[in-house]
Amino acid sequence: MDSPVFLIPEKKEYDKEKLNSKLLKIESELLDSAEKYDLTLIPLNFQLPGFEKFTIYEWISFALIHTQRHTNQLNSIFQYITKL
């Protein structure tokens, strides 16, 4: 499945520390949301193509698993590059 155009990152140099800081902020917000909200509620403002609407719990789970997936991809790329 191809990413929607709005998700494709811009081709530029990225600041690793800045991105890491943003990820930590998002993680904090997810944890805060998990404590604050009824996780069975279903937000109606966004839906992934091909899926039913997610509960807040499912969105948090999706975000965490998706982040792990991309972290693993980046680690694989880094390991490949360091072997060259």
Side-chain angles (χ1 to χ4, degrees):
M1 185 181 257
D2 291 332
S3 294
V5 175
F6 69 89
L7 288 180
I8 297 174
E10 183 181 347
K11 291 184 181 187
K12 67 174 192 172
E13 290 289 323
Y14 289 92
D15 182 334
K16 181 181 174 181
E17 293 305 315
K18 221 182 233 186
L19 291 173
N20 204 25
S21 177
K22 283 183 182 180
L23 284 173
L24 291 171
K25 183 177 185 284
I26 291 168
E27 178 186 38
S28 175
E29 291 170 351
L30 288 171
L31 291 169
D32 185 51
S33 294
E35 291 177 4
K36 231 194 251 190
Y37 297 104
D38 176 355
L39 301 181
T40 64
L41 294 176
I42 299 173
L44 303 176
N45 58 344
F46 190 77
Q47 183 174 344
L48 287 177
F51 292 91
E52 297 292 323
K53 289 189 171 29
F54 288 177
T55 63
I56 293 173
Y57 176 81
E58 290 166 325
W59 275 116
I60 292 171
S61 296
F62 174 81
L64 295 172
I65 291 166
H66 201 72
T67 301
Q68 287 174 342
R69 175 178 176 241
H70 285 295
T71 300
N72 289 337
Q73 288 172 332
L74 290 169
N75 285 331
S76 293
I77 292 167
F78 179 75
Q79 287 176 358
Y80 176 78
I81 290 171
T82 57
K83 289 180 183 178
L84 294 179

